[in-house]
Amino acid sequence: MVNIKDNFEKILEIASKSAEKSGRKLEEIIILGASKTQPVEKLIKAYEAGLRYFGENRVQEAIEKIEKLKEYSDIHWHLIGGLQTNKAKYAVKYFELIHSLDRKPLADELNKRAKKINKVQNVLIEVNIGEEDTKYGVHPDNLKELFEYALNSENLKILGLMCIPPYSENKENSRPYFAKLRELKQKLESEFRVNLPHLSMGMSNDFNIAIEEGATIVRIGTLLFGERNY
Ligand SMILES: *Cc1c(COP(=O)(O)O)cnc(C)c1O
């Protein structure tokens, strides 16, 4: 049996130490529960343990959970999975922050749908930091162009960058990718004279490294909720 409360406390402890290493406090880090495929009962357990940020991957699955958990009105719902353009309408309706903007047509659609409901949609740009064929995310070489494009979209607000580094058994291998994402963010901030508060990076196996390298949002699934049942 997974004990979500114990898991959450262990995660907070690790996050706190890593935050300290990077000269920050635990309160400056958002622990996001990556809850894809997990039943709402487990989400409630995590909520009761103190978790307030949940990240879902699929829009349809998320909507069902959001509707079921309506009474938990202080939950922050984020979309962390790749987004199909034809789901943009629903994504804008349901999510406070979308982590996976990675192409211009999606920016157009999100902007249009947000405008329709008078919302400014918070987004992160997902960067394919390992330049892998199989991954979502904009290629680092095309980041500046997409960033400028989204910056000029009135109903989008870019809050930062997100990445999923190539999988590795050794979590230290993630460190240079996390550092690279931080550098890309800093470069955009100075080139466009904007403030980008967020770096969404780090998962169950490497979130401590991500925090050391400047993550402000870590997305934790298995370590919090236990194995997923696909
Ligand atoms: C599933 C998922 C996570 C969490 O993965 P774990 O290894 O289970 O912590 C984080 N980010 C994204 C985008 C995911 O799809």
Side-chain angles (χ1 to χ4, degrees), residues 32-36 38 55-57 79-82 99-100 126 136 162-164 167 200-207 218-228 230:
L32 183 85
S35 46
K36 59 174 178 268
Q38 304 286 3
E56 285 284 335
N57 285 62
L79 183 69
I80 62 177
H99 291 223
S100 49
E126 180 171 358
Y136 288 105
M162 179 271 219
C163 78
I164 306 173
Y167 179 78
S200 167
M201 56 190 197
M203 317 203 300
S204 290
N205 64 325
D206 56 13
F207 76 97
V218 290
R219 311 176 308 266
I220 302 179
T222 329
L223 199 62
L224 179 61
F225 296 108
E227 291 297 326
R228 287 180 282 273
Y230 282 104

Side-chain angles (χ1 to χ4, degrees), residues 9-29 31 171-172 175 178 182 201-216 218 220 223:
E9 276 162 17
K10 271 178 224 149
I11 289 163
L12 291 181
E13 213 172 286
I14 295 167
S16 179
K17 282 187 190 135
S18 309
E20 202 174 310
K21 277 192 188 174
S22 70
R24 294 179 295 161
K25 294 199 178 80
L26 179 62
E27 294 70 49
E28 296 170 68
I29 317 285
I31 310 292
K171 60 183 174 181
E172 274 298 331
R175 191 185 292 279
F178 294 148
R182 184 189 64 232
M201 56 190 197
M203 317 203 300
S204 290
N205 64 325
D206 56 13
F207 76 97
N208 62 321
I209 309 277
I211 293 173
E212 288 175 25
E213 294 299 329
T216 62
V218 290
I220 302 179
L223 199 62

Side-chain angles (χ1 to χ4, degrees), residues 3 111 199:
N3 188 326
N111 187 54
L199 277 175

Side-chain angles (χ1 to χ4, degrees), residues 127-174:
V127 182
N128 185 352
I129 202 76
E131 304 176 25
E132 297 169 281
D133 291 340
T134 54
K135 284 260 171 79
Y136 288 105
V138 64
H139 189 285
D141 291 345
N142 303 326
L143 172 61
K144 185 179 165 186
E145 192 184 335
L146 179 62
F147 184 85
E148 186 162 28
Y149 191 78
L151 197 60
N152 290 320
S153 304
E154 252 181 49
N155 289 71
L156 298 182
K157 183 164 177 59
I158 312 171
L159 296 187
L161 304 179
M162 179 271 219
C163 78
I164 306 173
Y167 179 78
S168 168
E169 290 285 325
N170 178 1
K171 60 183 174 181
E172 274 298 331
N173 290 340
S174 297

